[in-house]
Amino acid sequence: MTRQSVLLEWLDELIAKAPADRRRALDLVVDRLHRSCPDYHWTGIYLVDGDQLMLGPYRGSPTEHTRISLGKGICGSAAISGQTEIVDDVASDSRYLACFPDTRSEIVVPIRRNGAVIGEIDIDSQKPSAFNEQDQTYLELVAERLAELL
Ligand code: SME
C-alpha cells in the first residue's frame, strides 16, 4: 500500500467515527497530508467565508495570505472555477500570490459540496513541476472526503 492509499483509508475511518471536534480532526488530516509526500513543503486548507477564503489549519511556515478574495491568486481562481489548478512554475503565472520565496510549484484542489466550493487544499512545493496527475487524483479523493468532514 502506498502512503496515499493508507491516508485515504485512515481518512475514511476518521469520517466514520463522526468526530465531535471537527477542527481538531481537520488539523490531523492536514498533518497527515503534509507528511504523505516529501515534496509537499507547505500544506494548508482554506475555507470559503463569504467572498473570501480564510486560512484554516496548515503545516509549514506562516503566510501573510490568511485571507484571499475569491478570484484572486491561484487559490481564488480555483475557488471560482471549482477546478483543480496545477502551476508548474509559479514565477510564470501572473495570478500567483507569493507566500514563500522558495516555492516553485503549487496545486490547489477545491473542496465541493453539492456543487458549491466550500474550501480547498493548497500545497506548495520547492520543487518545480512537483505535482502530476497522480497528485491531482489523490488530492481530489482527499477533497471529496473532506467535504464530509467540514
Ligand atoms: N500562492 C497562493 C496563495 C496562498 S500561499 O501559497 C499559502 C495563491 O496564489 O493563491
Side-chain angles (χ1 to χ4, degrees):
M1 278 224 280
T2 62
R3 264 188 280 195
Q4 284 83 356
S5 59
V6 169
L7 183 135
L8 289 171
E9 222 169 81
W10 170 81
L11 192 45
D12 282 335
E13 284 165 20
L14 180 74
I15 291 163
K17 283 186 208 152
D21 190 345
R22 290 181 173 232
R23 227 185 137 90
R24 177 165 158 66
L26 196 58
D27 189 66
L28 271 180
V29 175
V30 171
D31 190 64
R32 290 282 297 245
L33 187 55
H34 187 62
R35 290 187 288 116
S36 71
C37 177
D39 292 335
Y40 296 177
H41 294 118
W42 188 92
T43 305
I45 303 272
Y46 281 93
L47 299 168
V48 173
D49 178 25
D51 62 355
Q52 295 200 316
L53 290 161
M54 196 180 64
L55 183 60
Y58 66 90
R59 291 294 181 275
S61 306
T63 170
E64 67 185 275
H65 296 295
T66 53
R67 283 192 167 266
I68 298 173
S69 297
L70 298 186
K72 299 281 180 203
I74 315 290
C75 290
S77 299
I80 295 282
S81 70
Q83 302 300 313
T84 294
E85 292 272 359
I86 293 181
V87 179
D88 289 333
D89 172 17
V90 292
S92 67
D93 194 316
S94 59
R95 299 169 303 171
Y96 177 65
L97 296 172
C99 285
F100 318 108
D102 43 11
T103 293
R104 292 291 169 269
S105 57
E106 180 165 8
I107 187 168
V108 180
V109 180
I111 301 167
R112 284 176 301 201
R113 188 159 55 210
N114 302 327
V117 176
I118 57 169
E120 55 192 32
I121 301 167
D122 178 22
I123 305 180
D124 285 27
S125 181
Q126 294 164 11
K127 194 172 131 184
S129 306
F131 306 101
N132 58 24
E133 271 180 35
Q134 276 181 322
D135 294 280
Q136 179 170 353
T137 305
Y138 161 55
L139 294 170
E140 287 178 354
L141 289 171
V142 173
E144 268 177 32
R145 284 156 172 84
L146 283 179
E148 295 179 48
L149 195 64
L150 292 179

